[in-house]
Amino acid sequence: MADVAALAGVSKATVSRVLSGAPGVSDETRTRIKALVKELSYVVSPDASRLSRRANGRIAVVMPHTTSWFFGAVLAGILPVLRDAGLDALVYQVADGREFFADLPAQRQVDAVIVVAFPVTGFERRQLDLLGVPVVVAGGALLDHPNVRIDDVAAARQAVTHLIRSGHDRIAMINAAVTPERPYSPPTDRLQGYRTALAGAGLPADPDLVVELPWSGTMGAHAMDRLLSLERPPTAVFGFSDEVAVGALRSLRRAGIPVPRAVSVVGIDDHPIAELCDLTTVRQPAEEQGTEAARLALSLLGGGDPPQNPHVTLPTHLVIRATTGPLDP
Amino acid sequence: MADVAALAGVSKATVSRVLSGAPGVSDETRTRIKALVKELSYVVSPDASRLSRRANGRIAVVMPHTTSWFFGAVLAGILPVLRDAGLDALVYQVADGREFFADLPAQRQVDAVIVVAFPVTGFERRQLDLLGVPVVVAGGALLDHPNVRIDDVAAARQAVTHLIRSGHDRIAMINAAVTPERPYSPPTDRLQGYRTALAGAGLPADPDLVVELPWSGTMGAHAMDRLLSLERPPTAVFGFSDEVAVGALRSLRRAGIPVPRAVSVVGIDDHPIAELCDLTTVRQPAEEQGTEAARLALSLLGGGDPPQNPHVTLPTHLVIRATTGPLDP
DNA sequence: CTGTTAGCGCTTTCAA
DNA sequence: TTGAAAGCGCTAACAG
């Protein structure tokens, strides 16, 4: 910048003003400097600028992994919002919750943290506080930090009610197992929604019909195998997610059981795979959760008023495709 | 840092030395300062440190989108490598190639750029040069920048040869359409692999059997519909990717055509969906491409010797599942 | 409107 | 072994 100033015969201050669009520079000088800057294709050093301005123009995005659709979609929702606000995104993949919370590499580097669907332990929560910046949560909740999520209980109810209305009365649920240390709420909430729906219809809750397995790509398939080995298998299955449901479909296909004639299957997400598999599901807006979370983060940063409603619940809705229907008599 | 120095009764210089592990500090002082630092839970400001040291400790990761499996997986491969090297990742999603290349928000912020499977135009290439930092490519190639990729021609050949060996002689390909401006090579290369394999087996190349459609979630399904309306439909289909192949499966299922008894289907990727759909495919290591690319980037940064081989080709291999087989007589 | 003067928080010679 | 001082490249008063 010193060079530019020298070549333009002005002070660094003036150049700085022009570059930051600050007022108080004559049009003549402004255009002259702008031209020079363009010619030299000069840009300010963001780091120096930030150092001087005491703000770092970056936001941390913390996610357990980046591979699955949901996280990619949330990220896709976050990035454009931050970009438009002139902020950069520092993405942290916290495989098993270690490095990020232990070393806090984001410390003094970010103005806010967006935690994506990450079950945060007590220790981690305290570490997060140490960062001293606003925390917002996408796809989950954490104390009363601002967050954006769906109503998991309601989503599950929508799915199961759909099955009930199709005339099913032996409805199973394949759920993701949750460990006590990792307070991940969707499995709990969706199970509750499942039970509520059954109870609401006056259906019994058969514990054999709830299979909980630790998450894995083929977990849905294994769980379905289990359900098929029951003396009285279910006629309908509600999967924790679309990936789980599609796994169940695989087992049914291998077993030669016609869907939905003999067994109906429904998931949650409206993952792209659902459309390809003709899977009935309950759609959750993933990208929008990212978008809204990013917006919340920005509003917290603005220093302005806190957001109107710091707890946003986005709606879910049933998407009926070809894997559910009445039992074939 | 000034505070720490004052409280310890030493100069900032000494504190800095301790914190950066530089030599020339007595053990006594060192431990004393370390204790104090811990107590105050003080950490250096990365920005100030970088400003002073003229290096920015960040790497840009540029991808067309973050939603699809491949990109998430590559990112998952990149992040841990950078983290271990103490570098942060600035992730840029370049929806339609605009902001990033036009504004170069990464300018003066990163020490290298990893471009992930992004078809870069001439203009964009020039903008990239403007950043003045090493560029490495994951999942593609760009001039002779270091890169990590698979051999698309070979991958396609593996897929098609498998079909030929199962006795098929009317083999279709569903390909992603590529526009002239966006020099995205996999479609071209995979088509070539397809043709090579056919020619190698002395099979004719029927132009009707190659359907090219612009990418979309259901593109494979639509393309399959097209193939099914041919007077003589194919008995086997090679999809550009697993998602395309699964789309084709959907059409076949809806049409009531048994797979693989009447039609075989094979894809490329070994996307998680492939396992769930029992899809035969050619596996490409996505995460590893990220890992290797990140390593290449680091080696370029080290200032040390350039990497042994700056052009890495990772192997692909057939994964046989249940969607391919001989024609049922 | 523009320049001068201090820093921002750290690293790094160069002396002591 | 330690400290003083001079920046890194920019912004932000405060004067003129």
Side-chain angles (χ1 to χ4, degrees):
Chain A
M1 174 177 271
D3 298 358
V4 182
L7 285 178
V10 298
S11 71
K12 289 191 306 175
T14 304
V15 177
S16 175
R17 291 197 187 90
V18 170
L19 257 33
S20 64
V25 181
S26 73
D27 283 358
E28 190 271 320
T29 321
R30 189 177 293 274
T31 44
R32 187 160 50 89
I33 294 186
K34 273 190 174 161
L36 190 56
V37 160
K38 193 138 303 166
E39 182 186 328
L40 273 57
S41 70
Y42 167 84
V43 286
V44 303
S45 155
D47 280 290
S49 170
R50 290 192 276 250
L51 180 60
S52 177
R53 176 205 319 237
R54 299 94 184 288
N56 29 33
R58 264 172 257 129
I59 283 195
V61 179
V62 185
M63 28 180 69
H65 47 265
T66 60
T67 343
S68 80
W69 164 77
F70 182 75
F71 298 94
V74 173
L75 190 55
I78 293 174
L79 295 180
V81 177
L82 296 187
R83 166 75 40 75
D84 288 349
L87 297 176
D88 282 308
L90 242 28
V91 176
Y92 295 95
Q93 181 184 28
V94 188
D96 43 0
R98 277 177 306 144
E99 310 88 341
F100 180 78
F101 293 103
D103 311 345
L104 290 182
Q107 201 153 212
R108 303 184 74 177
Q109 292 221 74
V110 299
D111 300 315
V113 177
I114 300 178
V115 175
V116 183
F118 198 90
V120 177
T121 67
F123 164 72
E124 292 165 357
R125 191 169 48 60
R126 255 164 279 130
Q127 290 293 91
L128 225 37
D129 287 346
L130 238 60
L131 288 177
V133 298
V135 172
V136 352
V137 182
L142 175 55
L143 302 185
D144 38 40
H145 288 295
N147 73 327
V148 186
R149 53 181 312 188
I150 60 167
D151 181 339
D152 284 292
V153 178
R157 207 178 325 106
Q158 292 169 332
V160 176
T161 299
H162 167 59
L163 295 172
I164 294 173
R165 291 199 179 132
S166 297
H168 294 276
D169 55 5
R170 276 190 71 70
I171 301 174
M173 171 167 189
I174 300 179
N175 204 9
V178 53
T179 57
E181 314 80 76
R182 292 261 158 227
Y184 189 50
S185 68
T188 315
D189 292 346
R190 293 181 191 178
L191 179 59
Q192 189 196 322
Y194 161 80
R195 288 193 173 134
T196 309
L198 291 186
L203 294 175
D206 181 344
D208 283 350
L209 292 184
V210 176
V211 179
E212 302 207 316
L213 251 43
W215 168 261
S216 87
T218 51
M219 171 277 244
H222 298 317
M224 189 72 230
D225 290 345
R226 226 124 116 169
L227 289 171
L228 288 177
S229 44
L230 289 178
E231 202 176 315
R232 287 184 56 211
T235 63
V237 179
F238 163 48
F240 170 76
S241 68
D242 286 348
E243 284 167 88
V244 165
V246 171
L249 287 178
R250 187 182 85 176
S251 277
L252 291 165
R253 194 185 325 117
R254 289 187 181 177
I257 297 172
V259 172
R261 285 208 352 256
V263 175
S264 284
V265 177
V266 62
I268 286 190
D269 273 352
D270 202 21
H271 187 297
I273 199 182
E275 176 166 38
L276 288 176
C277 293
D278 274 332
L279 176 73
T280 294
T281 190
V282 173
R283 169 166 218 288
Q284 82 160 304
E287 203 167 315
E288 289 87 330
Q289 289 181 70
T291 307
E292 287 306 320
R295 281 204 233 282
L296 275 181
L298 290 184
S299 73
L300 291 179
L301 248 63
D305 348 288
Q308 289 307 316
N309 183 353
H311 298 276
V312 181
T313 299
L314 262 28
T316 56
H317 66 265
L318 200 57
V319 178
I320 299 182
R321 298 209 178 86
T323 58
T324 53
L327 216 53
D328 200 35
Chain B
M1 175 175 272
D3 298 358
V4 181
L7 286 177
V10 299
S11 71
K12 291 190 303 175
T14 304
V15 177
S16 174
R17 293 207 224 343
V18 170
L19 259 33
S20 64
V25 181
S26 73
D27 281 357
E28 191 272 318
T29 321
R30 190 177 291 276
T31 44
R32 187 159 52 88
I33 294 186
K34 272 189 176 162
L36 190 56
V37 160
K38 193 138 301 165
E39 183 186 328
L40 273 60
S41 71
Y42 166 84
V43 286
V44 304
S45 155
D47 281 290
S49 170
R50 290 192 275 249
L51 180 59
S52 180
R53 175 202 321 236
R54 300 92 185 286
N56 28 33
R58 263 172 257 131
I59 284 196
V61 179
V62 184
M63 29 180 68
H65 47 265
T66 59
T67 342
S68 80
W69 164 79
F70 182 76
F71 297 93
V74 172
L75 190 55
I78 293 174
L79 294 180
V81 177
L82 297 187
R83 165 75 37 75
D84 289 348
L87 297 175
D88 282 307
L90 242 30
V91 177
Y92 294 95
Q93 182 185 28
V94 188
D96 43 358
R98 276 177 307 144
E99 310 89 339
F100 180 79
F101 293 102
D103 310 345
L104 290 181
Q107 201 153 212
R108 303 186 72 176
Q109 293 221 73
V110 299
D111 300 316
V113 177
I114 300 178
V115 174
V116 184
F118 199 90
V120 176
T121 65
F123 164 71
E124 291 165 356
R125 191 168 48 60
R126 254 164 280 130
Q127 290 292 92
L128 225 38
D129 287 346
L130 239 59
L131 287 178
V133 299
V135 172
V136 352
V137 181
L142 175 54
L143 302 185
D144 38 40
H145 288 294
N147 71 329
V148 186
R149 55 180 310 185
I150 59 166
D151 181 339
D152 283 293
V153 178
R157 205 176 329 103
Q158 291 170 333
V160 176
T161 299
H162 168 59
L163 295 173
I164 294 173
R165 290 198 179 134
S166 297
H168 294 277
D169 55 5
R170 274 190 72 69
I171 301 173
M173 170 167 189
I174 300 180
N175 204 9
V178 53
T179 57
E181 314 81 74
R182 290 261 159 226
Y184 189 48
S185 67
T188 315
D189 292 346
R190 294 181 191 178
L191 178 60
Q192 188 196 324
Y194 161 80
R195 288 194 173 133
T196 309
L198 291 186
L203 294 175
D206 181 346
D208 283 350
L209 292 184
V210 175
V211 179
E212 301 206 318
L213 250 43
W215 168 261
S216 87
T218 52
M219 173 274 244
H222 298 318
M224 189 72 230
D225 290 345
R226 225 125 117 169
L227 289 171
L228 289 177
S229 44
L230 288 178
E231 202 176 314
R232 288 184 55 211
T235 64
V237 179
F238 162 49
F240 170 76
S241 70
D242 286 348
E243 285 167 89
V244 164
V246 171
L249 287 178
R250 186 181 86 176
S251 276
L252 292 165
R253 194 184 326 118
R254 289 187 181 178
I257 297 172
V259 173
R261 286 212 347 260
V263 175
S264 284
V265 177
V266 61
I268 286 190
D269 273 352
D270 202 21
H271 187 299
I273 199 182
E275 175 165 39
L276 288 176
C277 292
D278 274 332
L279 176 73
T280 295
T281 189
V282 173
R283 168 164 219 288
Q284 79 160 306
E287 203 165 316
E288 289 88 330
Q289 288 180 70
T291 307
E292 287 307 319
R295 281 205 233 283
L296 275 181
L298 289 183
S299 74
L300 290 179
L301 247 63
D305 348 288
Q308 289 307 317
N309 183 354
H311 298 276
V312 181
T313 300
L314 263 27
T316 57
H317 67 263
L318 201 54
V319 178
I320 299 181
R321 297 210 179 85
T323 57
T324 52
L327 217 51
D328 199 36

